[in-house]
Amino acid sequence: MDFKDTQLPSEFYARFKVFHELMSFKIREILLVSSPYDAFLMEEDGRLASKIINEYRGLNLSQPPRVTRTSSAYEALEYLNEKKFDMIITTPHLDGMDPFSLGMEVKKLKSGLPVILLAQSMRSIYPLPEDKEHREGIDKIFIWSGTSDFLLALVKNAEDRLNVGFDTQKAMVRVLILVEDSPLYYSSFLPLIYKEVVKQTQAVLETGLNEEHRLLTMRARPKILLATTYEEAMELYQKFHSFLFGIISD
């Protein structure tokens, strides 16, 4: 047997070694802090966890996250001391404190933990706190649409933020920047963009790959970063311009 032929299997698997190191930060556990009323509205649209699971399965993505819910902000902080969570989703009306104060308390305990404010409408999040530092406890504000692809986009966008620095340097993963200041609009745009990017990435994967290698290769899909101000967009551009795939802006 030719020597080169004996090396083919190792060379083939070596190609996928780099993918094992990508997307090292995954959203596995979500803590949902919501009032009974907001929780009821979400349940009316269908169970949150079930929607996430069904969307992950429909797109043949890796393991979906689990959701733990509480209605008390103070209980949420106790949960953080007892268990590891990868993301906090909070609604505007909580028992004990406002969501921005909760976000600040979460950042004191876990500074890098993504905290998302999920509202039923634009009206329910205004007026925002006048103190800009008080608003820093919330990473992004989203408007609930009730669709499963919205939940997928919310989770994947947080993962992209956490992984973009390492993944671009390690495997030259491309970056797509969405610039939009309206929570209502980017809550609509992001699900469409993510679903299209995932589908197109899957369409160009090699047909000979098995399921494990397809999932690994999906980790190299373009990262989608959301900027809600011009300054934030320029900061992202200057940091990742060498890997920039495109910019979508209003």
Side-chain angles (χ1 to χ4, degrees):
M1 181 181 294
D2 188 270
F3 177 76
K4 291 184 179 179
D5 291 339
T6 63
Q7 298 301 307
L8 282 177
S10 60
E11 289 176 3
F12 178 77
Y13 288 110
R15 289 176 51 204
F16 297 96
K17 185 177 181 180
V18 66
F19 296 128
H20 283 278
E21 301 179 42
L22 302 182
M23 294 292 288
S24 57
F25 295 100
K26 302 288 286 185
I27 305 296
R28 300 296 189 193
E29 298 285 345
I30 296 175
L31 179 58
L32 173 63
V33 191
S34 66
S35 67
Y37 175 72
D38 286 322
F40 171 75
L41 292 179
M42 291 180 187
E43 292 294 331
E44 284 288 288
D45 287 334
R47 288 186 59 82
L48 203 67
S50 297
K51 282 181 172 290
I52 295 176
I53 291 171
N54 291 337
E55 188 66 18
Y56 270 66
R57 286 176 178 171
L59 292 173
N60 293 317
L61 298 179
S62 55
Q63 182 181 352
R66 294 185 297 181
V67 180
T68 302
R69 193 191 77 81
T70 179
S71 60
S72 167
Y74 293 106
E75 191 173 272
L77 295 174
E78 290 178 7
Y79 271 128
L80 286 179
N81 289 318
E82 298 170 359
K83 182 179 177 181
K84 180 182 182 297
F85 288 94
D86 306 303
M87 173 189 276
I88 308 293
I89 299 177
T90 178
T91 57
H93 310 293
L94 302 177
D95 180 18
M97 67 178 74
D98 66 88
F100 294 94
S101 298
L102 173 61
M104 292 297 292
E105 293 300 318
V106 169
K107 297 297 184 181
K108 291 177 184 177
L109 293 173
K110 311 281 184 180
S111 59
L113 191 63
V115 182
I116 304 299
L117 175 56
L118 182 58
Q120 296 288 341
S121 65
M122 293 287 289
R123 183 169 51 186
S124 63
I125 63 175
Y126 291 108
L128 296 174
E130 293 183 6
D131 183 2
K132 188 176 180 180
E133 290 187 2
H134 190 56
R135 299 201 299 263
E136 291 179 354
I138 299 296
D139 292 292
K140 286 290 184 291
I141 299 173
F142 285 88
I143 305 301
W144 170 255
S145 67
T147 62
S148 53
D149 52 0
F150 165 77
L151 296 169
L152 172 76
L154 193 151
V155 171
K156 289 300 177 186
N157 188 245
E159 289 182 347
D160 284 358
R161 279 277 182 173
L162 293 170
N163 290 291
V164 64
F166 179 85
D167 289 5
T168 50
Q169 295 296 326
K170 184 67 178 181
M172 297 187 67
V173 170
R174 297 303 174 183
V175 173
L176 179 65
I177 300 176
L178 171 63
V179 189
E180 175 56 62
D181 62 347
S182 168
L184 183 62
Y185 287 132
Y186 65 66
S187 295
S188 300
F189 295 157
L190 270 180
L192 297 174
I193 296 171
Y194 267 101
K195 203 157 191 177
E196 193 61 33
V197 166
V198 169
K199 285 184 176 180
Q200 291 200 24
T201 304
Q202 289 176 336
V204 299
L205 292 181
E206 297 178 34
T207 55
L209 298 181
N210 61 32
E211 192 61 29
E212 179 186 1
H213 289 151
R214 291 178 69 86
L215 288 174
L216 285 174
T217 308
M218 280 298 297
R219 295 182 181 184
R221 64 160 176 78
K223 297 286 187 287
I224 302 170
L225 303 180
L226 172 63
T228 55
T229 65
Y230 170 80
E231 291 76 16
E232 186 181 6
M234 285 303 299
E235 183 180 347
L236 290 174
Y237 170 76
Q238 291 167 0
K239 189 173 184 180
F240 300 110
H241 68 272
S242 298
F243 313 100
L244 198 61
F245 185 67
I247 296 176
I248 302 175
S249 178
D250 65 358

